[in-house]
Amino acid sequence: MVVTRGDFQYWKGSRAKMTSERHSAAIDPLDRREPIAVVGLSCRLPGAAGPEEFWRLLREGRDAVTQMPGHRWEPISADAHSEIRRGGFLDAVEEFDAAFFGISPREAVVMDPQQRLLLEIAWEALEDAGIAAASLDGSPTAVFVGTAREDYTSLLYRQGSAAITQHTVAGTHRGIIAGRVSYALGLNGPSLTVDTSQSSSLVAVHLACESLRAEEAELALAAGVNLNLLAEGVVGRRAVRRALPGRALLHLRRPGQRLRARRGRRHGRAQAAAGGAVADGDRVHGVILGSAVNNDGATPGLTVPSAAAQEKVVRLAHRRAGVVPDAVQYVELHGTGTPVGDPIEAAALGAAVSALKAAGDPLRVGSVKTNIGHLEGAAGIAGLIKTVLSVRHRMLPPSLNFRTPNPKIPLDSLNLSVNDRLGEWPHPERPLVAGVSSFGMGGTNCHVVVGEAPGTREPLTAPRTRPADAVLPVVVSARGTQALRAQAGRLAEFVETHGDAEPASVGRSSVFTRSRLGHRGVVLAADRDELVAGLRALASGLPAAGVVAGAEATGRLAMVFTGQGAQRIGMGSELRAAFPVFAAAFDTVCAHLDPLLERPLREVVPTGEGLDETRYTQPALFAVEVALFRLFASWGVRPDLLAGHSIGEVAAAHVAGVLSLTDACALVAARGRLMQELPAAGAMVAVQAAEDEVLPLLAGQEGEVAVAAVNGPAALVLSGDTDAVLEIAAALKDRGHKTKRLTVSHAFHSPHMDGMLDAFRRVVTGLTLHQPRIPVVSTVTGEIAAPELLTSPEYWVEQVRRPVRFLRAARTLEAEGVRTVLEMGPDGVCSAMVAESVLDKDSVAAEPALRPGRPEERTAWTALARAFVRGAAVDWEAVFEGAGGRRIDLPTYAFQRERYWVTDPGRAEGAAAGV
């Protein structure tokens, strides 16, 4: 069970009036303990795979005790089989998602399935609490686990020395169960395995609470786990009964009997197995007000309980909780159905609580063992989860099979009443207070006092400043492809059946309450129907619009800024309307550029008038690209390297810190203006050929034509005098190369630029150039630019004239470990170039932030999703700012289990049924 310290007073003001004046002096303030919040639940119990199923089983009064599989008795004598026939069982205990926890199949086989079960329910409990397990790595989070069996060790050793491996000790040692969870989740708080026999798990809860109060931990996971895999274990309890006739705490059922609450002549107990856990988060299921542990001491027999000790432990728990007996409305009994133990427990409870309650207001009692059998080491936490659920739902479920009380238990005189039907609490108008008892065979007793959470702890709805139908990302992650699909399918069903599961709430919950695992999917949706359709597509593994999926890449992230030619009317306008960060950045750049231009950019870009004139094209591209960078930076996306195509390299230099915004705008405005003032002559032609195939044709014509850009292994651009460029292009076309003349006003990166270089040099010389804060890959050299290169004014003059070596730059990015490239610009030109240029096309992915003809908001989200899927860090607080929504409880992880068992498959199935 994981618990966290409360930050509230349980009773305030008039609430205290519910307590009786005659008992108020019995509470010593010095004894009171700080309340502990129960904020997450998980369990695997007979007939219930989780808390919701468990509550349905309890509400409906169903009995999960079933016939014991016959093959479990093969190693045992026939007469033992006739003694005990029924029990509570879990399905498929031999199955485990080893890969999820990074455990090899060889190790998983020799791991006690109690360790496996606990790993899975611990993860589920954290998810139920809305805690991303990864966020606890290195935290002072404690783990306390109650357990009392190690049957699998015996099964393993039956196989002989051949079954013993290097993993056997760690896999079967009972003391390592808690440590296994701490190791798997990286938890640094106290980590203890507790064995006090049947009271183990409730004692674990008590210790977890005390650890929190002592500030040894900030959060604690308390759990109980019990797997009854061996028939010998049950028969061994029969021997105890024979050794101590009439006095044994454990008494086995007779053939055909059902476990009954406080029954008379028929008595017994169901053998069962289970695991349960409770975790911390925003929602509070209930509150642990106080708890206590003691021991019976010397009694007539080692396994004979003490009424005096049980009474003391209940009274002590009440004092620590700060409650009086009148406040307690229900107690979840240890209630094993034994002829000695039940009357003693009833007498102790009567003396400690019932006798002090008002006449005619009996204490309600019950036992979850009537539903699921005796879970032994996990029995206490099963009762606690039942009680917490009863508090949360404000209903008391029935205890089963009660007809007449045991003659040794005078219910009326003890002021006790068995709760045998579903109904409200006796005093629903009061704060709900209940107790849970668990007693160990060796005499260790534990009692926990539970209450309802004061007030409403519902999470607040986040403020909404964006439109209600705004597109938002919903994240799904898993350890593998199949698990990712299963998780998406589970989430799709959840959204379909929950009316409050709109994209803002599902998206917000998906990133703040779940760990981000290695296989990831992002669905972009504006409404529930679109969300369901996207999740269904992700579950099927089929490509779909608005769905991004993939595996986390162990590589770096680069941003590449687009060059001239990608401009289009209205570029960035939709992002300005959707995202204040983009709008503010764009407007700030325009405020610096507009005084340097004849017309303000905020008029040029929306209308397109003059946008294709270089004096406006380059400033407009710069403004959009810088605003895109600022938008992605606000979402937490930080590039490791930068590059830019021609004018895009100026944007890269600015965001790298080489140029202040003022100086960058001065450079950009001068660059575009001076180019515009050159004679409108020359031509540019794109050629599908390698550079070494083209260069021989340029020999002797270097003053007339040049290679303007090498954009890929077979993609370059010729630029220069019209006749010379077209002649070379025709020769290449005759050799089978595709060519395309570009629509341009000037022959860029050619001798035609020489006329502006001196004037441009004077502008750049007057600027202040700084060393880059982010490495920039030069598209002049194709290599990472040395700081002294970028701070040289002459470099920026040469950058206008020399070829754009994008192919070499792309391969440098790849060689530097870049595996994800985001293109900052209005088109996907550079993304396509990167895809063609890199050597390992399967390992490097490039995604543009914008694409022509596509909704800008969705395209930007898609680029963010691609970066996240491939492992980029994202600031989800910023992503969901203004989106509205609230935290909702999403489905827990869909584990992909495989069979791991030490025996052959036929025997494994039988043993698994005996959990």
Side-chain angles (χ1 to χ4, degrees), residues 300-642:
L302 176 63
T303 61
V304 176
S306 164
Q310 292 183 12
E311 179 183 347
K312 288 178 181 178
V313 81
V314 173
R315 289 183 182 277
L316 179 57
H318 285 170
R319 286 202 304 273
R320 290 176 172 175
V323 302
V324 296
D326 277 355
V328 181
Q329 300 189 46
Y330 173 79
V331 169
E332 174 70 14
L333 302 166
H334 182 63
T336 55
T338 60
V340 174
D342 283 7
I344 288 176
E345 180 177 8
L349 191 60
V353 183
S354 307
L356 301 178
K357 291 177 67 66
D361 183 21
L363 175 67
R364 299 283 185 90
V365 296
S367 176
V368 73
K369 295 177 178 64
T370 65
N371 300 93
I372 59 175
H374 193 341
L375 306 189
E376 301 186 51
I381 203 165
L384 178 58
I385 292 175
K386 170 193 171 180
T387 306
V388 169
L389 291 173
S390 300
V391 167
R392 193 182 90 191
H393 292 284
R394 301 188 67 81
M395 298 289 287
L396 286 175
S399 287
L400 308 185
N401 308 314
F402 175 75
R403 289 177 177 79
T404 58
N406 185 326
K408 296 181 179 179
I409 305 176
L411 293 178
D412 291 340
S413 62
L414 290 173
N415 206 17
L416 300 174
S417 173
V418 176
N419 196 76
D420 59 357
R421 58 179 53 85
L422 178 67
E424 288 189 340
W425 287 63
H427 301 286
E429 74 283 0
R430 300 178 182 176
L432 304 185
V433 180
V436 182
S437 291
S438 191
F439 309 133
M441 182 168 56
T444 298
N445 308 309
C446 183
H447 189 80
V448 173
V449 181
V450 178
E452 62 180 320
T456 300
R457 291 292 291 261
E458 286 293 323
L460 297 176
T461 300
R464 184 190 295 278
T465 57
R466 301 188 210 172
D469 60 350
V471 178
L472 291 168
V474 173
V475 172
V476 182
S477 71
R479 294 287 194 208
T481 301
Q482 291 304 316
L484 180 67
R485 294 177 181 177
Q487 198 73 0
R490 179 180 286 190
L491 186 55
E493 293 177 3
F494 173 84
V495 175
E496 286 181 319
T497 56
H498 289 72
D500 61 344
E502 40 88 26
S505 294
V506 177
R508 183 176 294 278
S509 302
S510 73
V511 296
F512 294 131
T513 71
R514 295 294 181 264
S515 295
R516 291 133 208 185
L517 306 176
H519 285 71
R520 300 173 175 182
V522 179
V523 175
L524 305 176
D527 54 46
R528 294 179 71 237
D529 290 341
E530 187 176 16
L531 177 55
V532 171
L535 289 169
R536 292 294 184 196
L538 182 59
S540 68
L542 299 175
V547 177
V548 178
E552 188 176 12
T554 55
R556 306 170 81 187
L557 172 72
M559 285 184 176
V560 174
F561 294 80
T562 318
Q564 192 165 341
Q567 69 274 6
R568 54 183 170 81
I569 297 173
M571 58 184 179
S573 298
E574 295 174 21
L575 293 184
R576 286 185 68 196
F579 301 110
V581 170
F582 182 93
F586 182 82
D587 291 345
T588 299
V589 176
C590 289
H592 283 75
L593 281 169
D594 286 350
L596 308 175
L597 305 173
E598 293 182 9
R599 296 179 58 197
L601 282 181
R602 279 168 285 195
E603 294 180 5
V604 172
V605 173
T607 64
E609 295 180 12
L611 184 59
D612 288 332
E613 298 177 25
T614 301
R615 59 181 172 174
Y616 295 119
T617 303
Q618 294 187 12
L621 286 171
F622 177 82
V624 169
E625 291 172 4
V626 170
L628 276 171
F629 176 85
R630 301 301 178 205
L631 176 63
F632 277 77
S634 75
W635 291 336
V637 181
R638 301 285 190 270
D640 299 296
L641 293 138
L642 299 167

Side-chain angles (χ1 to χ4, degrees), residues 172-423:
T172 59
H173 197 294
R174 189 164 61 194
I176 210 171
I177 292 179
R180 177 74 74 172
V181 176
S182 298
Y183 172 78
L185 301 181
L187 311 179
N188 293 139
S191 187
L192 282 73
T193 301
V194 180
D195 184 358
T196 59
S197 193
Q198 291 81 358
S199 59
S200 298
S201 60
L202 205 62
V203 172
V205 173
H206 166 80
L207 293 175
C209 293
E210 293 302 295
S211 181
L212 287 169
R213 294 183 178 113
E215 299 185 358
E216 295 175 329
E218 295 176 356
L219 184 75
L221 171 65
V225 63
N226 182 75
L227 295 182
N228 178 7
L229 304 175
L230 292 174
E232 291 93 329
V234 180
V235 174
R237 284 155 181 74
R238 177 185 172 203
V240 171
R241 178 176 60 85
R242 287 176 174 171
L244 298 169
R247 306 177 73 123
L249 177 62
L250 302 180
H251 189 86
L252 300 178
R253 79 174 60 241
R254 300 186 184 280
Q257 290 180 331
R258 308 304 307 274
L259 187 64
R260 301 179 182 277
R262 302 298 183 210
R263 54 193 174 276
R265 296 182 178 178
R266 296 185 175 183
H267 47 267
R269 61 192 288 269
Q271 297 293 322
V278 182
D280 172 46
D282 293 333
R283 176 186 54 187
V284 179
H285 292 285
V287 177
I288 296 176
L289 300 173
S291 61
V293 171
N294 71 3
N295 192 272
D296 291 333
T299 63
L302 176 63
T303 61
V304 176
S306 164
Q310 292 183 12
E311 179 183 347
K312 288 178 181 178
V313 81
V314 173
R315 289 183 182 277
L316 179 57
H318 285 170
R319 286 202 304 273
R320 290 176 172 175
V323 302
V324 296
D326 277 355
V328 181
Q329 300 189 46
Y330 173 79
V331 169
E332 174 70 14
L333 302 166
H334 182 63
T336 55
T338 60
V340 174
D342 283 7
I344 288 176
E345 180 177 8
L349 191 60
V353 183
S354 307
L356 301 178
K357 291 177 67 66
D361 183 21
L363 175 67
R364 299 283 185 90
V365 296
S367 176
V368 73
K369 295 177 178 64
T370 65
N371 300 93
I372 59 175
H374 193 341
L375 306 189
E376 301 186 51
I381 203 165
L384 178 58
I385 292 175
K386 170 193 171 180
T387 306
V388 169
L389 291 173
S390 300
V391 167
R392 193 182 90 191
H393 292 284
R394 301 188 67 81
M395 298 289 287
L396 286 175
S399 287
L400 308 185
N401 308 314
F402 175 75
R403 289 177 177 79
T404 58
N406 185 326
K408 296 181 179 179
I409 305 176
L411 293 178
D412 291 340
S413 62
L414 290 173
N415 206 17
L416 300 174
S417 173
V418 176
N419 196 76
D420 59 357
R421 58 179 53 85
L422 178 67

Side-chain angles (χ1 to χ4, degrees), residues 746-764:
H746 296 78
F748 301 109
H749 294 281
S750 79
H752 282 232
M753 296 291 104
D754 291 345
M756 61 154 294
L757 297 183
D758 288 342
F760 186 59
R761 182 178 290 107
R762 288 192 291 273
V763 172
V764 181

